[in-house]
Amino acid sequence: MFYETLEKIITCNNIPQKFEMFYDLYQNLDKFSFNSDKKPKVFEKPSYASFCKIVPPARVPRRRGFETPEKKAVLLHAIVHIEYSAIDLALDACYRFRNLPKEYYLDWLEVAEDEVRHFKMMNSLLEKTGYRYGDFPVHNSLFEASQKTQDLLSRMAVIPRWYEANGLDANEKIIKKLSRINDPFAKDVIEALNIILKEEIPHVSKGDKWFKWECKRKNLDPLETYFKIIDEFFKDWKKKDINVAARLKAGFSCDELKILSREKVEC
C-alpha cells in the first residue's frame, strides 16, 4: 500500500488534500512495507498541470525588479513553483525506486516534509502580494528531468546533485540582490530564503549519499560517473559561479567543484 498511496499523493492536484494525505502517510510509516514487485508508472504530466499554464522556459515571466506587487509576485511565484515541484520529486524518489534500504525512504520523505513547509512559507508571501500560485505561466523542466531519469543513479545525479545544487547557488544570489533593497517585504523574503538555503543543503547531501551508495553498489567511480551523466543530460553545460561552501557541506568533492566553477576554488 506504500507505493499505491504515494502514487495518489503525487498525482493529486488538490493542494490541501495532497498535503493531508502526505502527513497521514508520514505519520503512519510503521504500517507500511517498502517491498514491492510491481513496476512504477511513468507519469505523463505533473500534478500542477491542471492549475498552472505550462510554457517553454523562455516564455516564463522574467524576474526583474521588486518595485511593484506584480514584480514581487513574479519572483515569489517562481520559487513557489520550484518548492511545489520539489515535493513531487521527493515523493517520486520514494515511489520509483523500490526494495531499497528503509533509510532511503525515510530520507526522501523527510525531504518531502521540508519541501511542503517551504512551499507553505513562500506561498504565504506570494499571497501577500495579491497573487496566487497558478497566476503566472510555469515551465516543467524538473518534471521532464524526472521522466528522463528512471534509474537511481541518474536520478540522484540529475535532480539533487545538479538541479537542487544549482538552487543553492541561485538562492545565495537572490538573497544578495534583495539585501540591497530597502523594503520590509524584501527582508521577509530574505528570512524565508535563508531558512530554505540552510535546509536545502541536507537535501543535496541526501542525494549525494545515495548517488555514492549506488556508485559503490555498481563499482563505479563517483566523480567520473557524475560528469558522464551530466555531460549526457546537459550537453552544453558551462562552468558558473557556485556556492562553494554550501556544496562542500552537501558532499561535493573539491575536484568536482573545480570542474564546475568558473572561478578558482580553494578547498
Side-chain angles (χ1 to χ4, degrees):
M1 286 297 294
F2 177 70
Y3 298 104
E4 290 85 348
T5 303
L6 276 175
E7 182 181 326
K8 291 178 182 177
I9 299 170
I10 293 167
T11 56
C12 181
N13 60 9
N14 180 305
I15 294 177
Q17 183 181 349
K18 184 187 195 79
F19 293 170
E20 183 179 348
M21 287 193 295
F22 167 71
Y23 286 127
D24 184 62
L25 170 77
Y26 194 51
Q27 293 164 7
N28 293 281
L29 283 178
D30 291 342
K31 297 179 180 179
F32 297 102
S33 166
F34 305 117
N35 298 320
S36 174
D37 56 3
K38 293 183 180 179
K39 289 186 177 181
K41 293 181 181 178
V42 178
F43 300 119
E44 296 182 0
K45 60 182 181 180
S47 63
Y48 54 79
S50 64
F51 55 83
C52 286
K53 181 181 179 181
I54 300 171
V55 298
R59 290 180 54 197
V60 173
R62 300 295 296 273
R63 303 189 294 255
R64 290 176 176 169
F66 204 72
E67 301 86 3
T68 67
E70 183 176 4
K71 288 182 178 181
K72 292 173 181 175
V74 167
L75 170 63
L76 291 167
H77 193 276
I79 299 170
V80 166
H81 180 59
I82 290 170
E83 297 303 331
Y84 182 89
S85 299
I87 297 166
D88 281 350
L89 287 171
L91 294 174
D92 189 71
C94 293
Y95 170 78
R96 192 145 313 281
F97 308 112
R98 306 187 175 191
N99 307 311
L100 294 175
K102 182 178 180 180
E103 183 184 356
Y104 173 85
Y105 302 101
L106 296 180
D107 273 353
W108 291 109
L109 289 171
E110 183 180 29
V111 170
E113 185 186 36
D114 284 347
E115 302 295 9
V116 169
R117 184 163 38 79
H118 295 171
F119 171 85
K120 290 180 176 180
M121 184 167 55
M122 298 311 300
N123 193 51
S124 174
L125 290 170
L126 172 63
E127 291 182 351
K128 287 181 180 179
T129 69
Y131 292 85
R132 299 176 65 84
Y133 183 36
D135 283 350
F136 299 100
V138 301
H139 65 76
N140 65 346
S141 298
L142 287 173
F143 175 76
E144 288 180 341
S146 71
Q147 288 181 307
K148 295 173 183 175
T149 51
Q150 296 295 306
D151 63 279
L152 182 63
L153 197 65
S154 64
R155 174 62 65 88
M156 294 296 108
V158 170
I159 300 299
R161 282 190 114 249
W162 182 261
Y163 279 112
E164 288 195 71
N166 287 349
L168 300 178
D169 309 329
N171 194 326
E172 183 183 44
K173 292 176 184 176
I174 295 170
I175 290 170
K176 286 181 179 178
K177 287 182 179 179
L178 292 177
S179 297
R180 296 193 289 266
I181 299 172
N182 185 20
D183 181 335
F185 189 68
K187 293 179 180 179
D188 292 340
V189 176
I190 290 170
E191 183 179 350
L193 290 177
N194 274 319
I195 292 171
I196 291 174
L197 177 58
K198 181 181 178 181
E199 295 183 352
E200 288 290 342
I201 292 173
H203 298 181
V204 180
S205 180
K206 286 178 173 61
D208 177 76
K209 176 174 75 174
W210 292 105
F211 172 74
K212 289 173 179 173
W213 181 87
E214 186 69 345
C215 282
K216 184 177 181 180
R217 191 165 72 153
K218 293 180 176 292
N219 196 28
L220 297 170
D221 176 73
L223 188 147
E224 179 183 330
T225 303
Y226 179 65
F227 283 103
K228 182 179 179 181
I229 293 170
I230 296 309
D231 288 340
E232 177 184 346
F233 277 84
F234 310 100
K235 299 184 185 302
D236 56 353
W237 71 272
K238 298 177 181 178
K239 293 188 174 190
K240 55 195 178 67
D241 297 328
I242 62 174
N243 188 337
V244 173
R247 283 176 178 260
L248 283 172
K249 288 179 182 178
F252 278 80
S253 70
C254 195
D255 287 339
E256 286 177 312
L257 298 185
K258 288 177 180 178
I259 296 171
L260 289 165
S261 178
R262 64 183 178 188
E263 302 290 336
K264 186 177 181 180
V265 173
E266 299 287 347
C267 53

